[in-house]
Amino acid sequence: MRSTLWAFAAILCCFGSPVQAAGIQLLQSDSALSGAIWYPCAAAPTHVALGSLSVGADFDLKGVKDCPVTGAKLPLVVYSHGRGGFFGQQHDTVEELADAGFIVAAINHAGDTFSDSSKRDTLSVWGSRPADIVRLLDFLLSDWKDRAVIDPARIGFFGFSLGGATGLVLMGTKPDFGRVANLCKETTGVCAQLHNGETPPEPVHDARIRAAVIIDPAPTVLTRENLAAVKVPFQFWRSQFGGPGVGDGAGNARVAEGLPGKPDIHVVPAGHFAFLAPCSADLAAAVPRICTDVPAGFDRVAFHRDFNAAVVQFFRGQLLGGDR
């Protein structure tokens, strides 16, 4: 189904108020698994402080730290952030999923976060990012202290920007680096590596993922041919006006036209950063680039009410059969 964002006003009318809040466990002991796990919790939500993100503003998550998990045989969604981002950059959507009965886990992609650029814009990140998600799933299903509450047959993926492309690789896509090399004009980063004959990493796939929400992915490596390998149902969101990493929006318009089957496609009349959680006043002052929307006057808060509801509705239908 191809539709615009505003068609989802009706979905909101059909949703009741959440009966649970988001419990949060922070993952801090292992640099390879630095992030958080959100899940249903019976306590009233408060704020979990993360402190400064080195951008001049404090950052809080909404939830209850270390609250006991409520429920059993819960669906799991893993999240992959964008280039130079961090695990909590779409925390409002994640919290909504946890309120609706999902476990959601997100980690920082080492070497490609706001504070660590050691792998950014290199070929290696196309291997390390999918491998990070595989490692996260292995931990959740085998080693997490609350692993018994997960239903391993109900696993979803949620990714933004380069995180969206990460998800498509996990679901079967082999990035087309030949196309990238032909388009490359830069003399640094991936372009330099390809022109120097360096070999891209082999794609890392994970058949445990049963459904996905892909948001404004990095489009350059995606073609009609490699997208045909994706057999997992997914919801696809793209920005009309694009932004850093996705160009002017035309690239993902091309990708949307090449998607296999009949995916659930949505076009948002805004720029790339509109998909990030609405900014606090402090964050907007510290990092206006990610908090200023295109076009001027776009209401990110109102959009996220619709967007979050649509994401929850999709995962409910795909992972729960609409039974919650």
Side-chain angles (χ1 to χ4, degrees):
M1 178 180 68
R2 297 177 183 268
S3 63
T4 61
L5 158 70
W6 310 117
F8 282 92
I11 290 177
L12 289 177
C13 298
C14 300
F15 271 14
S17 300
V19 296
Q20 296 169 315
I24 301 174
Q25 293 178 24
L26 297 180
L27 297 173
Q28 299 172 310
S29 59
D30 182 348
S31 60
L33 291 171
S34 173
I37 304 170
W38 290 257
Y39 49 87
C41 163
T46 55
H47 291 277
V48 178
L50 296 183
S52 174
L53 294 177
S54 301
V55 294
D58 287 341
F59 200 93
D60 291 350
L61 300 175
K62 180 183 176 184
V64 185
K65 191 170 185 295
D66 299 325
C67 181
V69 181
T70 299
K73 285 196 169 294
L74 299 176
L76 167 66
V77 175
V78 288
Y79 172 73
S80 179
H81 64 73
R83 172 186 177 274
F86 88 112
F87 72 88
Q89 65 181 23
Q90 287 179 289
H91 63 89
D92 66 316
T93 311
V94 169
E95 290 157 5
E96 195 102 3
L97 282 164
D99 288 346
F102 293 81
I103 297 169
V104 188
I107 54 173
N108 289 334
H109 288 292
D112 187 22
T113 68
F114 70 95
S115 61
D116 177 7
S117 60
S118 58
K119 295 180 183 177
R120 194 177 306 163
D121 301 326
T122 68
L123 285 172
S124 67
V125 80
W126 289 94
S128 64
R129 274 176 155 267
D132 289 343
I133 298 301
V134 172
R135 185 183 306 111
L136 176 60
L137 279 173
D138 289 345
F139 166 77
L140 291 165
L141 296 174
S142 299
D143 298 316
W144 183 38
K145 69 182 184 66
D146 291 309
R147 60 189 177 277
V149 303
I150 298 174
D151 184 343
R154 293 174 167 181
I155 295 176
F157 175 90
F158 171 45
F160 167 69
S161 194
L162 188 52
T166 299
L168 290 170
V169 171
L170 285 162
M171 293 188 292
T173 295
K174 182 175 182 178
D176 187 345
F177 288 107
R179 182 176 189 277
V180 176
N182 289 334
L183 294 173
C184 271
K185 297 179 181 179
E186 293 85 359
T187 58
T188 59
V190 167
C191 290
Q193 290 180 288
L194 291 172
H195 291 319
N196 289 336
E198 293 189 37
T199 303
E202 283 298 310
V204 177
H205 306 317
D206 198 316
R208 292 173 292 187
I209 295 172
R210 306 297 178 88
V213 173
I214 304 297
I215 305 163
D216 233 14
T220 311
V221 299
L222 304 174
T223 64
R224 184 182 297 271
E225 290 72 27
N226 63 24
L227 289 167
V230 177
K231 307 302 181 184
V232 175
F234 64 96
Q235 187 180 69
F236 186 87
W237 295 78
R238 72 174 181 87
S239 61
Q240 182 178 346
F241 303 116
V246 296
D248 61 3
N252 273 325
R254 171 188 60 80
V255 171
E257 289 299 319
L259 294 175
K262 296 180 179 180
D264 187 8
I265 299 175
H266 309 285
V267 183
V268 180
H272 187 56
F273 291 132
F275 293 107
L276 299 182
C279 295
S280 67
D282 285 349
L283 189 59
V287 197
R289 184 176 68 95
I290 66 171
C291 298
T292 304
D293 286 310
V294 177
F298 180 80
D299 190 339
R300 191 185 297 194
V301 172
F303 161 57
H304 273 248
R305 286 195 293 267
D306 294 353
F307 171 67
N308 294 346
V311 170
V312 171
Q313 179 81 339
F314 173 80
F315 279 129
R316 274 180 166 157
Q318 295 297 328
L319 300 180
L320 294 171
D323 62 355
R324 291 192 185 184

